Amino acid sequence: MLHQHRFRRDCRLLRMATLSVLIGLCLVLGLGLRGLPWMQGVAAPDTMLLSLVRLLPALGYLWALWAVQRALAGLAAGQMFHPTIATAMRHMGAGVLLGALLNVFAITNLSRWIVGGHGGYAYFDLSGIVLGVVGAALLLLASVVDQARDLQAELDEIL
């Protein structure tokens, strides 16, 4: 019982830390998108569009952080472990995979289109590629957790 209480407390604390990071990142991204107060009126329309394009991967990553804090809230509230974890892994995986794919493919090509530049069609950023693989793995692992839950239910019915 003490272990369960400690686990729930740790989930609440980590959720608060995750929410703080999420809110801080949203504020920083918002300031970056809006521009610094002393730079108002300087940005050209192309610069604003380029800023919006560069923001796209962050939306996926922020969705993944939101999924983490939701899962931690559910675990702290005593929700069932398997469904909470499977859903969180699925949402985190989708967010990270989306952000990574946008980072590797969309930003490069859309940025080149906006500024009229030339170059390759993919930016081979190691972190973006690794995050994409991790996101895809989280999606796959979520289905493994679902299968384990189904198998556990079958075993419970037999016993």
Side-chain angles (χ1 to χ4, degrees), residues 35-69:
L36 297 173
W38 56 85
M39 298 292 287
Q40 295 298 317
V42 177
D46 284 352
T47 305
M48 191 61 168
L49 185 58
L50 200 55
S51 294
L52 285 171
V53 165
R54 290 183 178 155
L55 178 71
L56 290 175
L59 299 177
Y61 300 142
L62 292 174
W63 170 256
L65 273 178
W66 182 255
V68 169
Q69 73 82 28

PDB file of all heavy atoms in Angstrom, residues 35-69:
ATOM      1  N   GLY A  35       7.516  37.367 -31.844  1.00  0.00           N
ATOM      2  CA  GLY A  35       8.665  38.261 -31.960  1.00  0.00           C
ATOM      3  C   GLY A  35       8.902  39.008 -30.672  1.00  0.00           C
ATOM      4  O   GLY A  35       8.020  39.127 -29.825  1.00  0.00           O
ATOM      5  N   LEU A  36      10.078  39.467 -30.505  1.00  0.00           N
ATOM      6  CA  LEU A  36      10.421  40.234 -29.310  1.00  0.00           C
ATOM      7  C   LEU A  36       9.776  41.610 -29.390  1.00  0.00           C
ATOM      8  O   LEU A  36       9.653  42.184 -30.480  1.00  0.00           O
ATOM      9  CB  LEU A  36      11.938  40.352 -29.197  1.00  0.00           C
ATOM     10  CG  LEU A  36      12.657  39.008 -29.026  1.00  0.00           C
ATOM     11  CD1 LEU A  36      14.171  39.213 -29.094  1.00  0.00           C
ATOM     12  CD2 LEU A  36      12.268  38.350 -27.722  1.00  0.00           C
ATOM     13  N   PRO A  37       9.376  42.165 -28.260  1.00  0.00           N
ATOM     14  CA  PRO A  37       8.664  43.450 -28.276  1.00  0.00           C
ATOM     15  C   PRO A  37       9.416  44.559 -28.997  1.00  0.00           C
ATOM     16  O   PRO A  37       8.818  45.374 -29.681  1.00  0.00           O
ATOM     17  CB  PRO A  37       8.496  43.785 -26.789  1.00  0.00           C
ATOM     18  CG  PRO A  37       8.615  42.491 -26.071  1.00  0.00           C
ATOM     19  CD  PRO A  37       9.515  41.624 -26.911  1.00  0.00           C
ATOM     20  N   TRP A  38      10.736  44.612 -28.868  1.00  0.00           N
ATOM     21  CA  TRP A  38      11.491  45.683 -29.505  1.00  0.00           C
ATOM     22  C   TRP A  38      11.741  45.426 -30.992  1.00  0.00           C
ATOM     23  O   TRP A  38      12.278  46.271 -31.672  1.00  0.00           O
ATOM     24  CB  TRP A  38      12.809  45.928 -28.782  1.00  0.00           C
ATOM     25  CG  TRP A  38      13.676  44.713 -28.677  1.00  0.00           C
ATOM     26  CD1 TRP A  38      14.563  44.252 -29.606  1.00  0.00           C
ATOM     27  CD2 TRP A  38      13.728  43.812 -27.596  1.00  0.00           C
ATOM     28  NE1 TRP A  38      15.158  43.108 -29.176  1.00  0.00           N
ATOM     29  CE2 TRP A  38      14.657  42.809 -27.927  1.00  0.00           C
ATOM     30  CE3 TRP A  38      13.074  43.719 -26.372  1.00  0.00           C
ATOM     31  CZ2 TRP A  38      14.956  41.752 -27.082  1.00  0.00           C
ATOM     32  CZ3 TRP A  38      13.376  42.655 -25.538  1.00  0.00           C
ATOM     33  CH2 TRP A  38      14.301  41.699 -25.898  1.00  0.00           C
ATOM     34  N   MET A  39      11.302  44.261 -31.493  1.00  0.00           N
ATOM     35  CA  MET A  39      11.476  43.946 -32.915  1.00  0.00           C
ATOM     36  C   MET A  39      10.153  44.045 -33.685  1.00  0.00           C
ATOM     37  O   MET A  39      10.083  43.640 -34.835  1.00  0.00           O
ATOM     38  CB  MET A  39      12.043  42.528 -33.067  1.00  0.00           C
ATOM     39  CG  MET A  39      13.407  42.314 -32.444  1.00  0.00           C
ATOM     40  SD  MET A  39      14.690  43.211 -33.305  1.00  0.00           S
ATOM     41  CE  MET A  39      14.840  42.248 -34.776  1.00  0.00           C
ATOM     42  N   GLN A  40       9.108  44.539 -33.046  1.00  0.00           N
ATOM     43  CA  GLN A  40       7.801  44.618 -33.685  1.00  0.00           C
ATOM     44  C   GLN A  40       7.857  45.488 -34.937  1.00  0.00           C
ATOM     45  O   GLN A  40       8.513  46.520 -34.958  1.00  0.00           O
ATOM     46  CB  GLN A  40       6.746  45.173 -32.719  1.00  0.00           C
ATOM     47  CG  GLN A  40       6.488  44.261 -31.545  1.00  0.00           C
ATOM     48  CD  GLN A  40       5.945  42.912 -31.965  1.00  0.00           C
ATOM     49  OE1 GLN A  40       5.077  42.818 -32.826  1.00  0.00           O
ATOM     50  NE2 GLN A  40       6.454  41.855 -31.364  1.00  0.00           N
ATOM     51  N   GLY A  41       7.167  45.063 -35.962  1.00  0.00           N
ATOM     52  CA  GLY A  41       7.085  45.818 -37.189  1.00  0.00           C
ATOM     53  C   GLY A  41       8.247  45.580 -38.130  1.00  0.00           C
ATOM     54  O   GLY A  41       8.262  46.094 -39.230  1.00  0.00           O
ATOM     55  N   VAL A  42       9.230  44.771 -37.738  1.00  0.00           N
ATOM     56  CA  VAL A  42      10.417  44.541 -38.557  1.00  0.00           C
ATOM     57  C   VAL A  42      10.237  43.326 -39.458  1.00  0.00           C
ATOM     58  O   VAL A  42      10.776  43.277 -40.553  1.00  0.00           O
ATOM     59  CB  VAL A  42      11.664  44.357 -37.649  1.00  0.00           C
ATOM     60  CG1 VAL A  42      12.893  44.040 -38.462  1.00  0.00           C
ATOM     61  CG2 VAL A  42      11.863  45.588 -36.796  1.00  0.00           C
ATOM     62  N   ALA A  43       9.463  42.327 -39.028  1.00  0.00           N
ATOM     63  CA  ALA A  43       9.358  41.060 -39.740  1.00  0.00           C
ATOM     64  C   ALA A  43       8.580  41.195 -41.040  1.00  0.00           C
ATOM     65  O   ALA A  43       7.516  41.807 -41.094  1.00  0.00           O
ATOM     66  CB  ALA A  43       8.680  40.020 -38.847  1.00  0.00           C
ATOM     67  N   ALA A  44       9.144  40.628 -42.090  1.00  0.00           N
ATOM     68  CA  ALA A  44       8.474  40.582 -43.389  1.00  0.00           C
ATOM     69  C   ALA A  44       7.484  39.428 -43.401  1.00  0.00           C
ATOM     70  O   ALA A  44       7.593  38.504 -42.594  1.00  0.00           O
ATOM     71  CB  ALA A  44       9.524  40.395 -44.488  1.00  0.00           C
ATOM     72  N   PRO A  45       6.493  39.446 -44.300  1.00  0.00           N
ATOM     73  CA  PRO A  45       5.528  38.342 -44.367  1.00  0.00           C
ATOM     74  C   PRO A  45       6.193  36.983 -44.569  1.00  0.00           C
ATOM     75  O   PRO A  45       5.768  35.997 -43.984  1.00  0.00           O
ATOM     76  CB  PRO A  45       4.651  38.701 -45.563  1.00  0.00           C
ATOM     77  CG  PRO A  45       4.790  40.180 -45.709  1.00  0.00           C
ATOM     78  CD  PRO A  45       6.159  40.520 -45.226  1.00  0.00           C
ATOM     79  N   ASP A  46       7.264  36.937 -45.382  1.00  0.00           N
ATOM     80  CA  ASP A  46       7.965  35.674 -45.581  1.00  0.00           C
ATOM     81  C   ASP A  46       8.579  35.170 -44.277  1.00  0.00           C
ATOM     82  O   ASP A  46       8.590  33.977 -44.001  1.00  0.00           O
ATOM     83  CB  ASP A  46       9.071  35.826 -46.628  1.00  0.00           C
ATOM     84  CG  ASP A  46       8.516  35.874 -48.040  1.00  0.00           C
ATOM     85  OD1 ASP A  46       7.295  35.638 -48.199  1.00  0.00           O
ATOM     86  OD2 ASP A  46       9.297  36.139 -48.970  1.00  0.00           O
ATOM     87  N   THR A  47       9.075  36.092 -43.469  1.00  0.00           N
ATOM     88  CA  THR A  47       9.678  35.720 -42.193  1.00  0.00           C
ATOM     89  C   THR A  47       8.628  35.135 -41.257  1.00  0.00           C
ATOM     90  O   THR A  47       8.879  34.147 -40.570  1.00  0.00           O
ATOM     91  CB  THR A  47      10.337  36.946 -41.539  1.00  0.00           C
ATOM     92  OG1 THR A  47      11.256  37.513 -42.456  1.00  0.00           O
ATOM     93  CG2 THR A  47      11.049  36.569 -40.268  1.00  0.00           C
ATOM     94  N   MET A  48       7.444  35.715 -41.249  1.00  0.00           N
ATOM     95  CA  MET A  48       6.362  35.201 -40.404  1.00  0.00           C
ATOM     96  C   MET A  48       5.922  33.824 -40.868  1.00  0.00           C
ATOM     97  O   MET A  48       5.721  32.921 -40.054  1.00  0.00           O
ATOM     98  CB  MET A  48       5.190  36.184 -40.422  1.00  0.00           C
ATOM     99  CG  MET A  48       4.160  35.881 -39.393  1.00  0.00           C
ATOM    100  SD  MET A  48       4.909  35.991 -37.753  1.00  0.00           S
ATOM    101  CE  MET A  48       3.469  35.949 -36.775  1.00  0.00           C
ATOM    102  N   LEU A  49       5.780  33.641 -42.177  1.00  0.00           N
ATOM    103  CA  LEU A  49       5.403  32.340 -42.722  1.00  0.00           C
ATOM    104  C   LEU A  49       6.468  31.299 -42.417  1.00  0.00           C
ATOM    105  O   LEU A  49       6.157  30.167 -42.046  1.00  0.00           O
ATOM    106  CB  LEU A  49       5.163  32.447 -44.230  1.00  0.00           C
ATOM    107  CG  LEU A  49       4.637  31.199 -44.926  1.00  0.00           C
ATOM    108  CD1 LEU A  49       3.321  30.735 -44.312  1.00  0.00           C
ATOM    109  CD2 LEU A  49       4.466  31.471 -46.412  1.00  0.00           C
ATOM    110  N   LEU A  50       7.715  31.664 -42.526  1.00  0.00           N
ATOM    111  CA  LEU A  50       8.815  30.770 -42.212  1.00  0.00           C
ATOM    112  C   LEU A  50       8.793  30.388 -40.736  1.00  0.00           C
ATOM    113  O   LEU A  50       9.031  29.224 -40.376  1.00  0.00           O
ATOM    114  CB  LEU A  50      10.141  31.437 -42.575  1.00  0.00           C
ATOM    115  CG  LEU A  50      11.351  30.556 -42.766  1.00  0.00           C
ATOM    116  CD1 LEU A  50      11.103  29.467 -43.789  1.00  0.00           C
ATOM    117  CD2 LEU A  50      12.540  31.397 -43.191  1.00  0.00           C
ATOM    118  N   SER A  51       8.477  31.324 -39.869  1.00  0.00           N
ATOM    119  CA  SER A  51       8.355  31.036 -38.432  1.00  0.00           C
ATOM    120  C   SER A  51       7.227  30.043 -38.171  1.00  0.00           C
ATOM    121  O   SER A  51       7.369  29.140 -37.348  1.00  0.00           O
ATOM    122  CB  SER A  51       8.095  32.317 -37.649  1.00  0.00           C
ATOM    123  OG  SER A  51       9.194  33.167 -37.719  1.00  0.00           O
ATOM    124  N   LEU A  52       6.111  30.221 -38.863  1.00  0.00           N
ATOM    125  CA  LEU A  52       4.993  29.289 -38.700  1.00  0.00           C
ATOM    126  C   LEU A  52       5.378  27.880 -39.158  1.00  0.00           C
ATOM    127  O   LEU A  52       5.041  26.895 -38.496  1.00  0.00           O
ATOM    128  CB  LEU A  52       3.773  29.774 -39.482  1.00  0.00           C
ATOM    129  CG  LEU A  52       3.019  30.943 -38.879  1.00  0.00           C
ATOM    130  CD1 LEU A  52       1.962  31.456 -39.862  1.00  0.00           C
ATOM    131  CD2 LEU A  52       2.372  30.534 -37.570  1.00  0.00           C
ATOM    132  N   VAL A  53       6.072  27.788 -40.272  1.00  0.00           N
ATOM    133  CA  VAL A  53       6.502  26.483 -40.784  1.00  0.00           C
ATOM    134  C   VAL A  53       7.439  25.816 -39.794  1.00  0.00           C
ATOM    135  O   VAL A  53       7.317  24.623 -39.510  1.00  0.00           O
ATOM    136  CB  VAL A  53       7.169  26.639 -42.169  1.00  0.00           C
ATOM    137  CG1 VAL A  53       7.938  25.396 -42.564  1.00  0.00           C
ATOM    138  CG2 VAL A  53       6.123  26.968 -43.217  1.00  0.00           C
ATOM    139  N   ARG A  54       8.360  26.574 -39.239  1.00  0.00           N
ATOM    140  CA  ARG A  54       9.316  26.006 -38.282  1.00  0.00           C
ATOM    141  C   ARG A  54       8.663  25.613 -36.963  1.00  0.00           C
ATOM    142  O   ARG A  54       9.236  24.854 -36.191  1.00  0.00           O
ATOM    143  CB  ARG A  54      10.455  26.986 -38.056  1.00  0.00           C
ATOM    144  CG  ARG A  54      11.334  27.106 -39.285  1.00  0.00           C
ATOM    145  CD  ARG A  54      12.494  28.009 -39.074  1.00  0.00           C
ATOM    146  NE  ARG A  54      13.313  28.033 -40.273  1.00  0.00           N
ATOM    147  CZ  ARG A  54      14.100  29.018 -40.608  1.00  0.00           C
ATOM    148  NH1 ARG A  54      14.200  30.088 -39.833  1.00  0.00           N
ATOM    149  NH2 ARG A  54      14.817  28.969 -41.714  1.00  0.00           N
ATOM    150  N   LEU A  55       7.485  26.117 -36.701  1.00  0.00           N
ATOM    151  CA  LEU A  55       6.736  25.779 -35.493  1.00  0.00           C
ATOM    152  C   LEU A  55       6.042  24.420 -35.617  1.00  0.00           C
ATOM    153  O   LEU A  55       5.729  23.790 -34.607  1.00  0.00           O
ATOM    154  CB  LEU A  55       5.701  26.875 -35.207  1.00  0.00           C
ATOM    155  CG  LEU A  55       4.783  26.684 -34.021  1.00  0.00           C
ATOM    156  CD1 LEU A  55       5.573  26.847 -32.729  1.00  0.00           C
ATOM    157  CD2 LEU A  55       3.652  27.684 -34.070  1.00  0.00           C
ATOM    158  N   LEU A  56       5.807  23.954 -36.818  1.00  0.00           N
ATOM    159  CA  LEU A  56       5.029  22.736 -37.036  1.00  0.00           C
ATOM    160  C   LEU A  56       5.502  21.525 -36.226  1.00  0.00           C
ATOM    161  O   LEU A  56       4.686  20.873 -35.577  1.00  0.00           O
ATOM    162  CB  LEU A  56       4.977  22.399 -38.526  1.00  0.00           C
ATOM    163  CG  LEU A  56       4.143  23.336 -39.394  1.00  0.00           C
ATOM    164  CD1 LEU A  56       4.272  22.953 -40.865  1.00  0.00           C
ATOM    165  CD2 LEU A  56       2.691  23.326 -38.961  1.00  0.00           C
ATOM    166  N   PRO A  57       6.788  21.157 -36.237  1.00  0.00           N
ATOM    167  CA  PRO A  57       7.193  19.986 -35.447  1.00  0.00           C
ATOM    168  C   PRO A  57       6.921  20.152 -33.959  1.00  0.00           C
ATOM    169  O   PRO A  57       6.607  19.179 -33.268  1.00  0.00           O
ATOM    170  CB  PRO A  57       8.691  19.859 -35.708  1.00  0.00           C
ATOM    171  CG  PRO A  57       8.930  20.579 -36.963  1.00  0.00           C
ATOM    172  CD  PRO A  57       7.909  21.683 -37.010  1.00  0.00           C
ATOM    173  N   ALA A  58       7.026  21.375 -33.470  1.00  0.00           N
ATOM    174  CA  ALA A  58       6.795  21.610 -32.047  1.00  0.00           C
ATOM    175  C   ALA A  58       5.383  21.210 -31.645  1.00  0.00           C
ATOM    176  O   ALA A  58       5.157  20.760 -30.521  1.00  0.00           O
ATOM    177  CB  ALA A  58       7.048  23.078 -31.710  1.00  0.00           C
ATOM    178  N   LEU A  59       4.428  21.340 -32.555  1.00  0.00           N
ATOM    179  CA  LEU A  59       3.054  20.958 -32.234  1.00  0.00           C
ATOM    180  C   LEU A  59       2.959  19.470 -31.924  1.00  0.00           C
ATOM    181  O   LEU A  59       2.264  19.062 -30.994  1.00  0.00           O
ATOM    182  CB  LEU A  59       2.123  21.341 -33.381  1.00  0.00           C
ATOM    183  CG  LEU A  59       2.063  22.842 -33.696  1.00  0.00           C
ATOM    184  CD1 LEU A  59       1.169  23.094 -34.905  1.00  0.00           C
ATOM    185  CD2 LEU A  59       1.609  23.627 -32.487  1.00  0.00           C
ATOM    186  N   GLY A  60       3.662  18.650 -32.698  1.00  0.00           N
ATOM    187  CA  GLY A  60       3.688  17.211 -32.420  1.00  0.00           C
ATOM    188  C   GLY A  60       4.359  16.906 -31.095  1.00  0.00           C
ATOM    189  O   GLY A  60       3.875  16.091 -30.305  1.00  0.00           O
ATOM    190  N   TYR A  61       5.482  17.565 -30.844  1.00  0.00           N
ATOM    191  CA  TYR A  61       6.203  17.323 -29.600  1.00  0.00           C
ATOM    192  C   TYR A  61       5.403  17.795 -28.383  1.00  0.00           C
ATOM    193  O   TYR A  61       5.410  17.144 -27.340  1.00  0.00           O
ATOM    194  CB  TYR A  61       7.572  18.019 -29.635  1.00  0.00           C
ATOM    195  CG  TYR A  61       8.466  17.540 -30.752  1.00  0.00           C
ATOM    196  CD1 TYR A  61       9.287  18.418 -31.432  1.00  0.00           C
ATOM    197  CD2 TYR A  61       8.492  16.211 -31.154  1.00  0.00           C
ATOM    198  CE1 TYR A  61      10.117  17.991 -32.461  1.00  0.00           C
ATOM    199  CE2 TYR A  61       9.308  15.771 -32.183  1.00  0.00           C
ATOM    200  CZ  TYR A  61      10.119  16.664 -32.837  1.00  0.00           C
ATOM    201  OH  TYR A  61      10.928  16.240 -33.845  1.00  0.00           O
ATOM    202  N   LEU A  62       4.705  18.913 -28.534  1.00  0.00           N
ATOM    203  CA  LEU A  62       3.866  19.398 -27.431  1.00  0.00           C
ATOM    204  C   LEU A  62       2.694  18.455 -27.182  1.00  0.00           C
ATOM    205  O   LEU A  62       2.285  18.247 -26.036  1.00  0.00           O
ATOM    206  CB  LEU A  62       3.380  20.822 -27.717  1.00  0.00           C
ATOM    207  CG  LEU A  62       4.463  21.891 -27.699  1.00  0.00           C
ATOM    208  CD1 LEU A  62       3.890  23.238 -28.132  1.00  0.00           C
ATOM    209  CD2 LEU A  62       5.118  21.998 -26.339  1.00  0.00           C
ATOM    210  N   TRP A  63       2.151  17.873 -28.250  1.00  0.00           N
ATOM    211  CA  TRP A  63       1.083  16.882 -28.095  1.00  0.00           C
ATOM    212  C   TRP A  63       1.601  15.685 -27.298  1.00  0.00           C
ATOM    213  O   TRP A  63       0.912  15.156 -26.426  1.00  0.00           O
ATOM    214  CB  TRP A  63       0.551  16.431 -29.458  1.00  0.00           C
ATOM    215  CG  TRP A  63      -0.357  15.264 -29.342  1.00  0.00           C
ATOM    216  CD1 TRP A  63      -0.068  13.967 -29.645  1.00  0.00           C
ATOM    217  CD2 TRP A  63      -1.702  15.261 -28.861  1.00  0.00           C
ATOM    218  NE1 TRP A  63      -1.156  13.165 -29.380  1.00  0.00           N
ATOM    219  CE2 TRP A  63      -2.171  13.941 -28.893  1.00  0.00           C
ATOM    220  CE3 TRP A  63      -2.546  16.267 -28.391  1.00  0.00           C
ATOM    221  CZ2 TRP A  63      -3.451  13.590 -28.489  1.00  0.00           C
ATOM    222  CZ3 TRP A  63      -3.819  15.903 -27.982  1.00  0.00           C
ATOM    223  CH2 TRP A  63      -4.257  14.590 -28.038  1.00  0.00           C
ATOM    224  N   ALA A  64       2.843  15.258 -27.578  1.00  0.00           N
ATOM    225  CA  ALA A  64       3.438  14.137 -26.850  1.00  0.00           C
ATOM    226  C   ALA A  64       3.585  14.483 -25.362  1.00  0.00           C
ATOM    227  O   ALA A  64       3.280  13.651 -24.494  1.00  0.00           O
ATOM    228  CB  ALA A  64       4.787  13.762 -27.459  1.00  0.00           C
ATOM    229  N   LEU A  65       4.023  15.701 -25.063  1.00  0.00           N
ATOM    230  CA  LEU A  65       4.125  16.126 -23.662  1.00  0.00           C
ATOM    231  C   LEU A  65       2.758  16.160 -22.987  1.00  0.00           C
ATOM    232  O   LEU A  65       2.617  15.792 -21.819  1.00  0.00           O
ATOM    233  CB  LEU A  65       4.773  17.507 -23.563  1.00  0.00           C
ATOM    234  CG  LEU A  65       6.282  17.556 -23.514  1.00  0.00           C
ATOM    235  CD1 LEU A  65       6.774  18.994 -23.470  1.00  0.00           C
ATOM    236  CD2 LEU A  65       6.822  16.783 -22.341  1.00  0.00           C
ATOM    237  N   TRP A  66       1.756  16.608 -23.723  1.00  0.00           N
ATOM    238  CA  TRP A  66       0.398  16.636 -23.179  1.00  0.00           C
ATOM    239  C   TRP A  66      -0.060  15.208 -22.857  1.00  0.00           C
ATOM    240  O   TRP A  66      -0.680  14.969 -21.826  1.00  0.00           O
ATOM    241  CB  TRP A  66      -0.551  17.301 -24.166  1.00  0.00           C
ATOM    242  CG  TRP A  66      -1.952  17.394 -23.650  1.00  0.00           C
ATOM    243  CD1 TRP A  66      -3.011  16.625 -24.036  1.00  0.00           C
ATOM    244  CD2 TRP A  66      -2.447  18.277 -22.643  1.00  0.00           C
ATOM    245  NE1 TRP A  66      -4.130  16.983 -23.332  1.00  0.00           N
ATOM    246  CE2 TRP A  66      -3.811  17.996 -22.471  1.00  0.00           C
ATOM    247  CE3 TRP A  66      -1.861  19.281 -21.889  1.00  0.00           C
ATOM    248  CZ2 TRP A  66      -4.600  18.681 -21.559  1.00  0.00           C
ATOM    249  CZ3 TRP A  66      -2.658  19.960 -20.978  1.00  0.00           C
ATOM    250  CH2 TRP A  66      -4.005  19.657 -20.829  1.00  0.00           C
ATOM    251  N   ALA A  67       0.270  14.259 -23.724  1.00  0.00           N
ATOM    252  CA  ALA A  67      -0.090  12.856 -23.496  1.00  0.00           C
ATOM    253  C   ALA A  67       0.613  12.312 -22.248  1.00  0.00           C
ATOM    254  O   ALA A  67       0.018  11.552 -21.480  1.00  0.00           O
ATOM    255  CB  ALA A  67       0.254  12.013 -24.720  1.00  0.00           C
ATOM    256  N   VAL A  68       1.862  12.706 -22.047  1.00  0.00           N
ATOM    257  CA  VAL A  68       2.598  12.268 -20.857  1.00  0.00           C
ATOM    258  C   VAL A  68       1.908  12.763 -19.595  1.00  0.00           C
ATOM    259  O   VAL A  68       1.648  11.991 -18.664  1.00  0.00           O
ATOM    260  CB  VAL A  68       4.065  12.778 -20.894  1.00  0.00           C
ATOM    261  CG1 VAL A  68       4.746  12.568 -19.554  1.00  0.00           C
ATOM    262  CG2 VAL A  68       4.841  12.095 -22.000  1.00  0.00           C
ATOM    263  N   GLN A  69       1.570  14.035 -19.559  1.00  0.00           N
ATOM    264  CA  GLN A  69       0.951  14.566 -18.338  1.00  0.00           C
ATOM    265  C   GLN A  69      -0.429  13.981 -18.112  1.00  0.00           C
ATOM    266  O   GLN A  69      -0.839  13.769 -16.983  1.00  0.00           O
ATOM    267  CB  GLN A  69       0.963  16.101 -18.323  1.00  0.00           C
ATOM    268  CG  GLN A  69       0.024  16.803 -19.244  1.00  0.00           C
ATOM    269  CD  GLN A  69      -1.387  16.920 -18.701  1.00  0.00           C
ATOM    270  OE1 GLN A  69      -1.618  16.956 -17.503  1.00  0.00           O
ATOM    271  NE2 GLN A  69      -2.353  16.924 -19.601  1.00  0.00           N
TER     272      GLN A  69
END
